[in-house]
Amino acid sequence: MFTLLIHGGSGNISRKTMDEAAEAKHAAVLREALEAGVDILKAGGIALDAVQAAVKVLEDSPLFNAGKGSVYTAAGTHEMDACIMDGRTRDAGAVAGVATVRNPVEAARAVLEHSPHILLTGAAAAQFAADQGVAMVAPEHFFDPFRWQQLQDIIGSDRIELDTPGDEHVPETNQKMGTVGAVARDSNGNLAAATSTGGLTNKKPGRIGDTPITGAGTYAENATCAVSCTGQGEYFMRANVAADIAARMRYGNEPLQEAAKHAIHTTLGGLKGKGGLIALDAQGNFAMPFNTTGMFRGVVSSETEAEVWMFK
Amino acid sequence: MFTLLIHGGSGNISRKTMDEAAEAKHAAVLREALEAGVDILKAGGIALDAVQAAVKVLEDSPLFNAGKGSVYTAAGTHEMDACIMDGRTRDAGAVAGVATVRNPVEAARAVLEHSPHILLTGAAAAQFAADQGVAMVAPEHFFDPFRWQQLQDIIGSDRIELDTPGDEHVPETNQKMGTVGAVARDSNGNLAAATSTGGLTNKKPGRIGDTPITGAGTYAENATCAVSCTGQGEYFMRANVAADIAARMRYGNEPLQEAAKHAIHTTLGGLKGKGGLIALDAQGNFAMPFNTTGMFRGVVSSETEAEVWMFK
């Protein structure tokens, strides 16, 4: 028995912002990510490898705000963050502010496997990953005319555009959204989580959000849950949203689905934060709550075919 | 009614590692930090200003691993981290990897007050602080022959020396330890927390520990507690130790002292992590648990004179 969930970001995702052609393109990549992860689980692989493989597919797509599709900082650069966490040990690896790593989730995995640290940042993080054999690319790899235009539209202003945007300042043609992530339970009942993001358009250089922070945007612990978040990162950091689900389960005896719902609607919502998450426990119970218009998401398990959704 | 707690790091602190002269020197700085913070509280100031003032005194002392007394990275540089959090709003500011900010806690405060982000890193974080009028210094300001020798003793090895060290590889003459921090409750019942550190001797450049991460090394929320941690940062990050105290109170109905004790001895100890923390609730209950040999710590309140301790 195994289960894999993925997300491609939450935000202003509705029929108004996406036509059928755009929907089909996004759905195809989500299905491809599910397939990459579930192939590993079917073959008896570990949850950690499955979440990494699924996130890698999403990073390689220009449609989602991570890896290839990352948005621009206020300096016209890319600063990508990623984290991966192993529910067996609660050990984790994360990178923040990397510009030259082709797949930030692979750099995070290298930190998990080979560093005594959990979170490495900037050029030093990229260098560590390169030393471990992680593929590097020139910054031009991440150039994208749509993302560039997103920056030009707001550069010089104080606006920082969440790529899981609020309704008020989002062009309806904006069909590229969000952080990406995956959580999995393998056939041995082990959990893992991974999250990757390009952050916010027009964010100040050096900003780190919730994605690479264990307990904020990413969490995995066999005894409770695996979680990957998307949304307004600073709110997830202040409320420790991913760890909040684990805490509700551990101390409040809430079942996973209740805990996940309350983490979004009570904990995050209580601070007026916006976003969503995917969460899974070791029994295969799962939840995908969000308080935005929509969230790119999908699920596949040993008992069920792959399914993907994006609207409410 | 108000209360202020401070710490100057936990670790191998005992009569074996500190003679009476060293004890007196450390105690004098701890008392000076308590005085700086309590002066603000006595004058009706807010908890946020009190923790900042107390941490600033500890940063300015070469005796503690923060600000002036920061340890060296493997590259022979300094990378300092700090965080400050306001229990009224759960808003926070933090910096990581800054090398030229005289008082990192002041840079963290500038992020809290003036940035939409919570955590800024590296040169961009220092630039942001400078733009906000925070005092900068040349890197030479942080040169310290004792810290430099600590690095020379282990550079080229894989050892990363926690400045709150385990017993096995600590010279008994090592009298400079730890992260510093403060938590306060002001006369309006508002809570705040601040933590500042130079990190680990011989840490890889770019490493971020628990100090600047809300919910890991620093936390403040009027409804539960204010917390500042010290110890093996990666364990505090994996277990979200600061937020764990709040979660135990919120979901498990544990009183502050129970929650703080369990966070160190069950949550952190369960991962075999070492360290300590100071914690305070809005009623003025407080705790200062640690699972190391000792912890530099002190407390003062509207009802009690300043007291400082370092051994068990």
Side-chain angles (χ1 to χ4, degrees), chain A residues 65-246:
Chain A
N65 176 22
K68 180 76 181 111
S70 291
V71 298
Y72 287 87
T73 69
T77 56
H78 290 100
E79 293 187 351
M80 298 173 287
D81 306 339
C83 182
I84 190 164
M85 188 161 180
D86 187 340
R88 297 175 296 188
T89 57
R90 282 204 268 175
D91 205 357
V95 294
V98 296
T100 55
V101 176
R102 184 187 164 120
N103 289 100
V105 72
E106 294 191 343
R109 180 69 182 268
V111 174
L112 168 61
E113 300 290 344
H114 303 296
S115 172
H117 303 316
I118 289 179
L119 175 54
L120 298 180
T121 60
Q127 186 59 54
F128 177 85
D131 292 346
Q132 300 297 330
V134 173
M136 297 290 121
V137 286
E140 292 73 46
H141 170 76
F142 300 105
F143 178 75
D144 181 272
F146 176 81
R147 296 300 190 194
W148 183 253
Q149 192 54 51
Q150 282 186 315
L151 174 63
Q152 302 314 309
D153 290 347
I154 60 171
I155 198 166
S157 77
D158 282 340
R159 276 164 59 195
I160 46 167
E161 195 136 307
L162 186 59
D163 204 54
T164 51
D167 289 0
E168 68 283 359
H169 59 301
V170 183
E172 293 202 355
T173 54
N174 181 350
Q175 290 158 352
K176 299 191 188 181
M177 297 189 185
T179 297
V180 309
V183 297
R185 168 188 186 272
D186 63 32
S187 51
N188 290 315
N190 294 312
L191 300 179
T195 315
S196 182
T197 189
L200 307 172
T201 293
N202 204 28
K203 69 180 177 182
K204 287 274 187 300
R207 177 259 189 187
I208 295 183
D210 63 317
T211 295
I213 296 182
T214 51
T218 308
Y219 192 72
E221 176 189 17
N222 280 358
T224 54
C225 56
V227 183
S228 173
C229 300
T230 164
Q232 297 174 316
E234 275 72 8
Y235 292 89
F236 284 78
M237 294 165 79
R238 289 161 62 192
N240 298 283
V241 173
D244 184 59
I245 299 177

